Amino acid sequence: MAGLVRKSFASPEEVRPFEEGKGRLEMVDVGAGPVGRATFEPGWRWSQHVKPIAGTDSCQAPHLAYVASGRIKVVMDDGQEEEFGPGDCMLCPPGHDAWVVGDEPCVVIDWQGFADYAKRKAG
């Protein structure tokens, strides 16, 4: 079994920018899997700023996440919706759109769904 692992978002192993400069995803791998910190800037919307990268009609990543700051609204393909804010934990299955609510960046830490999120194809 591995010993202690320390990683920091101050020096992420990978940074993935969103379209139009509307934020970024910073990734670290703690050995048990990747952890991502996304900063979604005001005006960010998945269907506008990540969909062109993902190439799917809605976000197909499952999320097990914590909202550190800001607010985000998630609408599932079936119409179910919820707004999340600071201190909220979120379990979100595939098949959704999301956008920042208000004029403050939304920072989300995700342990499940960011491995391939906003990852551009090589070539």
Side-chain angles (χ1 to χ4, degrees):
M1 182 161 188
L4 290 172
V5 175
R6 179 179 179 268
K7 299 287 179 100
S8 174
F9 288 116
S11 54
E13 294 160 277
E14 185 180 358
V15 177
R16 301 175 193 161
F18 301 139
E19 296 286 301
E20 300 176 25
K22 286 293 184 180
R24 69 198 168 283
L25 173 61
E26 298 157 309
M27 299 291 296
V28 296
D29 191 332
V30 294
V35 180
R37 176 177 70 180
T39 302
F40 304 109
E41 297 294 337
W44 175 89
R45 186 178 185 118
W46 185 90
S47 55
Q48 183 176 352
H49 300 104
V50 180
K51 180 179 179 174
I53 301 166
T56 55
D57 287 337
S58 60
C59 181
Q60 295 303 306
H63 302 288
L64 176 58
Y66 173 77
V67 179
S69 62
R71 301 197 67 77
I72 192 166
K73 174 115 180 210
V74 179
V75 177
M76 301 301 297
D77 291 348
D78 68 5
Q80 182 183 6
E81 57 185 73
E82 187 67 61
E83 188 173 313
F84 299 90
D88 287 342
C89 292
M90 170 176 56
L91 178 61
C92 180
H96 56 271
D97 194 4
W99 55 88
V100 171
V101 176
D103 58 3
E104 178 185 352
C106 181
V107 177
V108 175
I109 310 295
D110 191 325
W111 287 267
Q112 182 178 10
F114 281 167
D116 293 320
Y117 191 86
K119 191 170 194 172
R120 297 175 191 276
K121 306 278 188 236

